[in-house]
Amino acid sequence: MCQTTFLSIGASMVQIELPDENEQVLPGVHWGNVAAFPSLAYWTYKVLQRRLMNNTVQYKLGRSLLEEVGACLLGGHGIPAYIGLAAYEHLKQLGAFSGEVISEEQLYEWLSAPFNARGKMVKYRFAKQKAKYLADAILQLSTDTELPSTGRALRDRLTKIKGIGLKTASWVARNWMDADDVAILDIHIYRAGLLGGFFTEDKVIEKDYLELEETFINVAKAIGAKASELDAVMWFEMQESPFILDILRSRKSAQGLQTELSDNPITNQRQPHALQLALV
């Protein structure tokens, strides 16, 4: 038994066959119905759709590793993607990522000054904190003569920089090396994992990042996808869906659990964009 679905590409129709919804992808993890968002069969279909339509994403933002680190440090939690990108361009134009050692004080002066973002002058919210992190990144990377050759090794090296945790370091490694031996786990991917049945409530990103990462990478391999591909399709759709919190509440209610879920203030206020994904 298998599931048959079709993908329209221009004037052509491509038939896609996936395993039966009750078949296991990994022990205890089922494919689910391909039409049931957000099952693993559904995500597999979306990965194949992206491939067949050649709808790929260019993740790399910088011309150097330091620029990439700067872009990712300036984005992230609490910072809308367009603000992070505008702050990055602002500092780049001022020479922050030229390779010369820039003081924390100078970086703070530059980052605390208003800059243009989408035609409006804005101020960066965490200028003092990020100036400290950027100064350490510039200092450390300016003395590195040999960089790791794998995404995971680069990720581990980057976590030695102030303010860079596993998630941010994984963003940089994915962007810079197109790495698939790391996973970028944010709330959207975590929720996709819970609903897809491959993450469980007893594991959380803050405490169990590496274990969840290994699970995510194994799931990607099991469905024949690259980790970066699976991450991309999940992130695009999960952050845009207006139904995710309702689905999670219904799931928790059915399990007799407390429904302590809060809306992401950014969700549904932006359209998917390749640069946003690079600064996911």
Side-chain angles (χ1 to χ4, degrees):
M1 293 288 292
C2 67
Q3 303 181 71
T4 301
T5 186
F6 297 88
L7 176 62
S8 175
I9 303 178
S12 303
M13 293 291 288
V14 177
Q15 180 174 315
I16 297 174
E17 293 189 352
L18 296 172
D20 182 81
E21 62 184 282
N22 294 313
E23 190 172 323
Q24 295 187 23
V25 179
L26 293 172
V29 181
H30 296 87
W31 280 91
N33 192 300
V34 68
F37 169 81
S39 69
L40 276 177
Y42 174 87
W43 294 126
T44 305
Y45 173 85
K46 299 302 287 189
V47 166
L48 293 173
Q49 180 185 53
R50 180 182 289 266
R51 283 184 192 168
L52 290 170
M53 298 182 72
N54 198 28
N55 186 17
T56 57
V57 174
Q58 171 58 50
Y59 299 112
K60 190 179 291 186
L61 294 166
R63 296 167 300 175
S64 68
L65 177 60
L66 178 57
E67 287 189 358
E68 203 70 44
V69 169
C72 292
L73 261 177
L74 290 165
H77 182 70
I79 303 293
Y82 80 97
I83 295 290
L85 286 167
Y88 160 68
E89 291 293 343
H90 170 65
L91 289 189
K92 185 169 72 170
Q93 289 174 13
L94 291 169
F97 310 118
S98 64
E100 296 182 12
V101 175
I102 311 292
S103 70
E104 180 181 336
E105 293 73 22
Q106 181 64 78
L107 289 165
Y108 175 65
E109 181 182 332
W110 287 343
L111 194 53
S112 58
F115 55 88
N116 187 287
R118 290 185 177 174
K120 294 183 180 179
M121 298 305 290
V122 300
K123 294 195 73 173
Y124 192 81
R125 286 179 60 192
F126 308 115
K128 190 171 183 63
Q129 180 189 63
K130 293 299 179 74
K132 178 180 179 180
Y133 297 161
L134 285 169
D136 189 54
I138 291 168
L139 181 62
Q140 289 201 40
L141 293 178
S142 67
T143 58
D144 268 359
T145 56
E146 197 170 319
L147 293 173
S149 59
T150 67
R152 187 162 296 184
L154 177 60
R155 189 268 303 280
D156 294 345
R157 164 66 185 89
L158 293 173
T159 57
K160 294 179 171 60
I161 296 172
K162 292 177 183 176
I164 296 187
L166 288 168
K167 187 173 87 170
T168 301
S170 296
W171 289 348
V172 177
R174 190 281 307 275
N175 286 9
W176 186 247
M177 301 182 72
D178 199 21
D180 286 301
D181 56 349
V182 296
I184 309 165
L185 304 180
D186 70 351
I187 187 61
H188 303 300
I189 305 304
Y190 182 67
R191 287 172 175 171
L194 291 177
L195 294 172
F198 56 91
F199 288 166
T200 55
E201 299 277 356
D202 61 323
K203 303 294 181 185
V204 294
I205 295 172
E206 292 77 10
K207 295 179 181 178
D208 307 295
Y209 193 102
L210 295 177
E211 187 174 344
L212 291 170
E213 176 185 65
E214 183 177 3
T215 298
F216 183 87
I217 291 172
N218 287 339
V219 166
K221 289 178 180 177
I223 66 171
K226 296 168 63 177
S228 56
E229 286 182 302
L230 186 58
D231 168 87
V233 297
M234 283 183 172
W235 190 84
F236 271 139
E237 295 209 22
M238 293 295 289
Q239 64 94 29
E240 282 295 305
S241 173
F243 309 113
I244 292 301
L245 291 177
D246 289 338
I247 295 172
L248 283 163
R249 289 189 180 104
S250 298
R251 177 178 178 272
K252 282 178 170 284
S253 179
Q255 294 173 343
L257 300 173
Q258 294 286 329
T259 56
E260 298 177 0
L261 295 170
S262 60
D263 292 289
N264 183 331
I266 299 175
T267 299
N268 302 321
Q269 294 179 9
R270 58 190 179 185
Q271 292 300 313
H273 190 283
L275 291 182
Q276 289 181 340
L277 184 60
L279 285 173
V280 57

